Amino acid sequence: MLRTQVAIVGAGPAGLLLGQLLHKEGVDTLLLERRSADYVAARIRAGVLEPGTVDVLERAGVATRLHAEGLTHDGVEIGFRGLRHRVDLKALTGKAVTVYGQTEVTRDLMEARTRSGASSVYEAEDVALHDFAGPTPRITYRHQGEAHEVACDFIAGCDGFHGISRRSVPAAAMSVFERVYPFGWLGLLADVPPPWHELIYANSEHGFALASLRSPTRVRCYIQCSLEDRVEQWSDERFWTEFRRRIGGEISARVPSAPSIEKSIAPLRSFVAEPLRFGRLFLAGDAAHIVPPTGAKGLNLAVSDVFYLYEALRDFYGERSERALDEYSARALRRIWRAERFSWWMTRQLHRFPGDAFDERLQQTELEHLFESHAAQMAMAENYVGLPFEPFRGG
Ligand SMILES: Cc1cc2nc3c(=O)[nH]c(=O)nc-3n(C[C@H](O)[C@H](O)[C@H](O)COP(=O)(O)OP(=O)(O)OC[C@H]3O[C@@H](n4cnc5c(N)ncnc54)[C@H](O)[C@@H]3O)c2cc1C
């Protein structure tokens, strides 16, 4: 039987980052990932990093390219009824966000892991978690047709929403909170210089649209779509026509009709599973929670979970203290729920919901208040740049 100190399930940003932070503390990890390394490296997802996320990536020693290539954004714009209003994040909070694709974060972390010599198994099949209620957890899996077993001190469940870790916990030991939204996001990625400098969130009478970017030569654009829609129904030309109609103003005339290099539909969901600890199994990132992408929080929240878990494991191995491990779940959940609230709020204000005229009036009032009130903009800005990490108070 193989042995490691921390077995990490899932090589998304959460699992890779936890492995890298622990490696720097001399803690041995084994990373088990269901997909191939090429598949993981190519996956297109988030792109807005909070300053707290950048700090953690720096601490992990993987921020050199991020600092060279990441784009600093001091504000975001919100469009409503033909008007655009800029929320000046920098002036309001003293902080900015960094645009740097999740694909790039993943690549930097994968390269660091290769350099570190830490063990990773890609294309691990039938990963199963055992005995995590007691002191000697184990994981079994198959790789290239052979069965393997690994013993460990702890299991970090970083395997995303559809992973095995959360599903390994007895249902009675977990509470689940969920909201499913009645629409999805159709996203298109294209290699073309963005005609906008900052993200533009638009609430139009035809539905939501988001103009964003991944680099000086790559745009990422989204429109609200029906849950029944299929990607094949959306030619690039149809997407751009609808996007122009929704983004409005003078920007619409500059929207390119560039061919897509990726196009996909994602449903929108809010989800939290509590607690995050079950004996020696700890959940982090999308394995424990999902936010709708409107607040740009999914990746950032995975990073703050991982940072708290890293601190707790570092204390365990360095000082033989379990106090931060005992506090991990409550500490992470406080920040998770704040990000859930903000992501729900952004989603609620910026999309077209079916039917209710009363809700529509409230949405209009809320956006007008945001445009006119310094205090409302401050509240939005401090959440958008990310609430501060909570220091561990028990140590
Ligand atoms: C389509 C899409 C678009 C998104 N867009 C945005 C966005 O614009 N902005 C934003 O902020 N967030 C966005 N997100 C959310 C953000 O990408 C996630 O919050 C982030 O990836 C979470 O990282 P993670 O490591 O926790 O989970 P993941 O990135 O999901 O990684 C989990 C890993 O575990 C692996 N795995 C799963 N099951 C198993 C198993 N049984 N055994 C072993 N390995 C397993 C998976 O293959 C995967 O590599 C998006 C998510 C999706 C799905």
Side-chain angles (χ1 to χ4, degrees), residues 10 12-14 33-35 43 45-46 102 159 222 285-286 296-298:
E33 164 61 47
R34 187 177 53 155
R35 303 285 195 169
R43 212 162 26 196
R45 287 185 176 175
Q102 181 169 333
D159 48 350
Y222 297 94
D286 277 16
K297 289 285 164 258

Side-chain angles (χ1 to χ4, degrees), residues 185 217 372:
W185 274 19
T217 57
E372 288 160 17

Side-chain angles (χ1 to χ4, degrees), residues 8-16 32-35 39-40 43-48 102 106 121-122 124-128 157-165 167 185 210 212 214 220 222 262 264-267 284-303 305-306:
I8 301 173
V9 187
L16 286 164
L32 296 171
E33 164 61 47
R34 187 177 53 155
R35 303 285 195 169
Y39 181 95
V40 170
R43 212 162 26 196
I44 310 288
R45 287 185 176 175
V48 176
Q102 181 169 333
T106 304
V121 179
Y122 286 89
E125 295 167 49
D126 303 331
V127 172
C158 300
D159 48 350
F161 185 66
H162 299 289
I164 191 67
S165 298
R167 282 187 283 133
W185 274 19
L210 169 60
S212 84
R214 290 288 182 268
R220 178 70 162 162
Y222 297 94
E262 194 264 358
S264 52
I265 291 179
D286 277 16
H289 45 78
I290 294 286
V291 284
T294 329
K297 289 285 164 258
L299 171 59
N300 291 298
L301 216 43
V303 169
D305 286 0
V306 161

Side-chain angles (χ1 to χ4, degrees), residues 11-257:
L16 286 164
L17 178 61
L18 181 64
Q20 176 64 11
L21 288 165
L22 290 175
H23 168 74
K24 288 179 84 76
E25 299 293 330
V27 176
D28 186 57
T29 60
L30 172 67
L31 189 64
L32 296 171
E33 164 61 47
R34 187 177 53 155
R35 303 285 195 169
S36 70
D38 286 347
Y39 181 95
V40 170
R43 212 162 26 196
I44 310 288
R45 287 185 176 175
V48 176
L49 308 185
E50 298 171 359
T53 295
V54 173
D55 290 348
V56 176
L57 293 170
E58 263 168 24
R59 183 188 279 242
V62 291
T64 309
R65 208 161 60 87
L66 186 162
H67 286 309
E69 297 176 18
L71 305 172
T72 302
H73 282 201
D74 290 343
V76 291
E77 294 196 34
I78 303 209
F80 181 57
R81 303 208 156 174
L83 294 176
R84 287 223 319 268
H85 186 95
R86 181 167 187 267
V87 178
D88 191 333
L89 303 171
K90 185 80 181 194
L92 288 159
T93 66
K95 295 177 188 166
V97 293
T98 303
V99 167
Y100 188 67
Q102 181 169 333
T103 323
E104 309 309 318
V105 173
T106 304
R107 189 177 128 197
D108 295 342
L109 285 164
M110 287 175 90
E111 286 176 3
R113 188 161 182 93
T114 305
R115 279 196 302 276
S116 76
S119 308
S120 311
V121 179
Y122 286 89
E123 299 180 85
E125 295 167 49
D126 303 331
V127 172
L129 282 47
H130 310 275
D131 301 338
F132 52 81
T136 52
R138 291 176 300 121
I139 298 188
T140 53
Y141 62 97
R142 298 185 66 76
H143 185 238
Q144 296 177 339
E146 280 186 29
H148 298 269
E149 185 167 358
V150 55
C152 54
D153 300 331
F154 299 101
I155 299 173
C158 300
D159 48 350
F161 185 66
H162 299 289
I164 191 67
S165 298
R166 191 182 68 252
R167 282 187 283 133
S168 304
V169 174
M174 183 180 275
S175 302
V176 164
F177 304 86
E178 186 168 28
R179 172 146 308 174
V180 177
Y181 298 89
F183 41 72
W185 274 19
L186 170 63
L188 181 149
L189 190 73
D191 272 334
V192 64
W196 40 82
H197 302 298
E198 294 175 340
L199 271 62
I200 306 171
Y201 292 85
N203 175 341
S204 89
E205 58 183 308
H206 307 291
F208 168 82
L210 169 60
S212 84
L213 57 150
R214 290 288 182 268
S215 77
T217 57
R218 183 168 280 190
V219 297
R220 178 70 162 162
C221 297
Y222 297 94
I223 53 174
Q224 174 181 352
C225 67
S226 158
L227 284 171
E228 276 78 53
D229 281 6
R230 296 287 159 263
V231 176
E232 307 76 56
Q233 298 169 315
W234 285 90
S235 66
D236 292 352
E237 198 46 53
R238 183 179 170 207
F239 177 93
W240 287 122
T241 303
E242 187 60 26
F243 180 78
R244 271 188 211 101
R245 194 158 78 117
R246 296 185 190 188
I247 208 75
E250 85 286 3
I251 285 285
S252 66
R254 289 191 270 135
V255 171
S257 283

